[in-house]
Amino acid sequence: MFQRLRGTRDFYPEEMAARNKVFKIIRETAERYGFVEIVSPAIESFDLIAKKSGEDIREEIYAFEDKGGRTICLIPEFTPSVSRMIANRQKELGKPLKWFSIPRHWRYERPQSGRLREFYQLNVDIFGSKSPKADTEVLSVGISIMLNLGLKDFLFHISNREFLHGLLQEYNVSDIHEAFRIIDKREKIPEEEFIESLLNCGIKNYDEILDVLDSVNIDNIENFKGRNKMMDRSIGNLLDISRYLDYYGFREYCTLDLSVVRGLAYYTGMVFEVYDKKKEMRSLFGGGRYDDLVESFGGEPTPAVGFGMGDVVLELMMKKEGVWPEEKTYIDYYIANIGDVDRHVLSIARKLRDKGYKVTFDLVDRNLSNQLKYADKINAKNVIFVGEKELKEGKILIKNMETGEQKKVEIGKI
Ligand code: HAM
């Protein structure tokens, strides 16, 4: 017997129903913020993804040659695709654009808790605004989603790459992107390996840099003003975001954490990661500002900010907090036949379905007792008995399976 591939999941009906309920809450929340849903293909040209994603993601791409000899890949993330969509149609699109999507992604990672090879990822992005209000809007929709899902044990760790960039420049670090990559790995690799990588990258005064990153908080960050333009700009941005979060009443869900860098190469300003408060699990979601990506795909300069939230850690966290929905699939009406009554069964099914009810009936010639067992198995709320005897009176019998109540109804009144 074939088994599913490692790192992938099957969703049986009840699991799918639970997931749909969660996605419905997510969709409705995004829509309340004025975001509209889009979809893009699951496959893209390899170059589009390889050009802009981080080095780590590049190594995990499922890429192959198609029959036309083109190298294509299953999308490991959505940001290059959505930026391509903007660049393709920028003249017609009125900015700012607030878009969301829940695509599936594929990454050849080692399957482990919170990380799979195929997963869903909610993407929420705003295109065409440089304002810290747009940064805050993206953070806030993320916070609202968490709250509407019933979650409380989470914290948004917010940073701005320009702060670290400016700080690294102060210490004459030349390969800024490599330095970002290493600092992003700080909590994921052993300390010795981390320090060795910093030294190899030419960062001799790494302890001073790390001291700054660890000691800055939202109340003392202004003390770092006046060192260079990048640091000043990032401080202004972070203070604005903090103020707006305050106006929204969301500041308690956020903390300033300058050690957050994000592994992806395209981020240019505010960046953030979301964790459970004790940081016991992998990151729930992450994102930030990427003002140059659309332009790098041939579009007009278009500032952008957004995030990606995977469903895997989300499910783990919701289960841990006891808020993952337990869904049971059901059917409104099972139509049981007694005798040769197909004409009536099908006509009743059509009428009820047209009214919006979920309806099914016997497809395998079962006797009445087995039909009732099946109705119970598929959680039928009501059973309609269509028998020759009642039909002679022009009636059918409806039984409410929860209360046991039965009533005869004129067939014409359905
Ligand atoms: P990312 O940090 O690569 O960012 O992924 C974002 C989230 O996707 C992670 O925090 C995690 O929840 C989920 N995720 C990533 N890899 C896996 C995996 N192998 N298994 C399960 N879940 C996973 C991005 O993808 C950016 N494109 C996000 C973004 C959108 N930035 C701006 N807009």
Side-chain angles (χ1 to χ4, degrees):
M1 205 189 291
F2 289 111
Q3 299 294 339
R4 64 189 157 73
L5 298 176
R6 269 191 83 202
T8 64
R9 294 165 294 175
D10 294 317
F11 300 117
Y12 286 82
E14 260 135 42
E15 294 161 324
M16 197 61 207
R19 194 158 308 272
N20 280 341
K21 188 165 183 187
V22 168
F23 284 6
K24 187 166 180 264
I25 295 171
I26 292 175
R27 283 197 167 90
E28 285 172 358
T29 310
E31 282 166 0
R32 272 184 236 161
Y33 274 79
F35 288 87
V36 287
E37 188 163 4
I38 52 155
V39 178
S40 76
I43 49 175
E44 288 278 6
S45 104
F46 177 77
D47 287 346
L48 176 95
I49 307 293
K51 206 170 152 190
K52 291 296 162 193
S53 289
E55 196 175 291
D56 295 343
I57 290 193
R58 271 204 297 277
E59 282 169 16
E60 295 166 354
I61 297 178
Y62 278 87
F64 54 97
E65 202 171 280
D66 72 4
K67 288 186 177 165
R70 289 167 286 260
T71 307
I72 60 173
C73 65
L74 291 170
I75 51 169
E77 59 157 333
F78 189 61
T79 312
S81 300
V82 69
S83 302
R84 172 188 62 67
M85 283 174 72
I86 300 281
N88 289 161
R89 289 249 184 118
Q90 55 195 342
K91 292 262 160 4
E92 306 151 43
L93 301 167
K95 289 177 194 142
L97 294 160
K98 294 173 103 176
W99 283 0
F100 80 96
S101 187
I102 314 183
R104 271 206 235 194
H105 293 323
W106 296 265
R107 296 186 190 177
Y108 197 79
E109 281 201 55
R110 190 172 60 79
Q112 54 193 291
S113 173
R115 288 293 178 268
L116 296 174
R117 290 187 174 159
E118 182 185 64
F119 56 96
Y120 288 94
Q121 192 195 64
L122 164 72
N123 277 262
V124 173
D125 296 273
I126 300 180
F127 292 91
S129 170
K130 262 185 182 307
S131 166
K133 267 192 205 150
D135 296 337
T136 314
E137 192 74 343
V138 159
L139 294 164
S140 301
V141 68
I143 294 168
S144 285
I145 286 170
M146 299 295 273
L147 295 176
N148 290 345
L149 290 172
L151 291 165
K152 292 188 184 73
D153 176 46
F154 63 88
L155 195 58
F156 280 58
H157 294 247
I158 304 170
S159 176
N160 186 314
R161 266 197 181 186
E162 285 202 303
F163 187 95
L164 184 56
H165 196 148
L167 188 66
L168 290 168
Q169 273 184 349
E170 292 257 295
Y171 287 91
N172 300 320
V173 176
S174 54
D175 194 346
I176 301 283
H177 283 291
E178 182 57 12
F180 279 169
R181 220 173 69 78
I182 297 166
I183 293 171
D184 179 57
K185 290 207 182 312
R186 186 175 180 188
E187 288 187 3
K188 299 170 197 146
I189 56 175
E191 196 177 340
E192 281 161 35
E193 191 183 327
F194 173 62
I195 291 170
E196 199 182 307
S197 309
L198 289 173
L199 289 170
N200 289 343
C201 186
I203 310 177
K204 290 191 206 78
N205 308 63
Y206 65 84
D207 44 351
E208 289 175 32
I209 294 173
L210 297 179
D211 266 357
V212 174
L213 294 185
D214 293 341
S215 63
V216 180
N217 58 51
I218 200 71
D219 298 319
N220 68 13
I221 194 167
E222 264 188 291
N223 301 343
F224 291 83
K225 268 192 167 166
R227 292 194 177 191
N228 62 46
K229 271 194 188 148
M230 272 198 180
M231 287 175 78
D232 283 357
R233 220 172 21 230
S234 68
I235 292 167
N237 170 262
L238 289 166
L239 288 171
D240 282 343
I241 292 174
S242 169
R243 192 159 47 87
Y244 292 136
L245 284 170
D246 219 13
Y247 297 161
Y248 256 131
F250 283 154
R251 228 183 95 173
E252 65 181 290
Y253 303 106
C254 303
T255 184
L256 180 74
D257 180 353
L258 292 175
S259 64
V260 171
V261 189
R262 305 272 302 134
L264 295 154
Y266 46 65
Y267 292 113
T268 52
M270 185 276 293
V271 281
F272 70 99
E273 294 265 5
V274 183
Y275 291 95
D276 59 297
K277 279 189 188 146
K278 287 192 190 141
K279 266 196 166 185
E280 284 171 348
M281 292 186 209
R282 300 285 300 255
S283 119
L284 258 152
F285 52 114
R289 185 162 274 289
Y290 50 103
D291 285 347
D292 304 332
L293 198 58
V294 175
E295 196 179 358
S296 77
F297 289 150
E300 284 168 2
T302 308
V305 58
F307 67 76
M309 174 175 86
D311 69 326
V312 184
V313 186
L314 181 73
E315 180 176 343
L316 289 176
M317 189 165 177
M318 287 180 73
K319 284 188 170 159
K320 194 172 154 215
E321 286 200 40
V323 292
W324 183 258
E326 288 288 328
E327 288 298 289
K328 228 174 152 19
T329 54
Y330 68 93
I331 199 100
D332 293 308
Y333 290 96
Y334 179 84
I335 310 176
N337 66 67
I338 311 157
D340 183 14
V341 291
D342 284 349
R343 197 166 69 82
H344 297 283
V345 170
L346 269 61
S347 138
I348 294 168
R350 162 92 199 262
K351 280 186 190 143
L352 289 172
R353 284 170 179 162
D354 285 352
K355 288 197 164 145
Y357 293 109
K358 301 177 186 178
V359 183
T360 195
F361 48 80
D362 179 45
L363 295 173
V364 286
D365 293 335
R366 285 189 168 117
N367 64 26
L368 182 62
S369 143
N370 286 337
Q371 286 186 63
L372 293 179
K373 279 188 199 145
Y374 177 71
D376 188 44
K377 192 155 194 164
I378 60 172
N379 195 17
K381 301 286 171 214
N382 301 281
V383 174
I384 299 179
F385 296 85
V386 184
E388 283 160 350
K389 198 173 114 210
E390 281 86 5
L391 282 176
K392 277 194 192 127
E393 301 167 27
K395 290 189 174 159
I396 50 160
L397 184 73
I398 304 181
K399 181 173 179 185
N400 180 317
M401 301 308 278
E402 273 160 15
T403 62
E405 190 194 329
Q406 301 191 26
K407 59 180 175 197
K408 280 191 182 172
V409 175
E410 272 179 44
I411 201 157
K413 287 202 174 152
I414 282 193

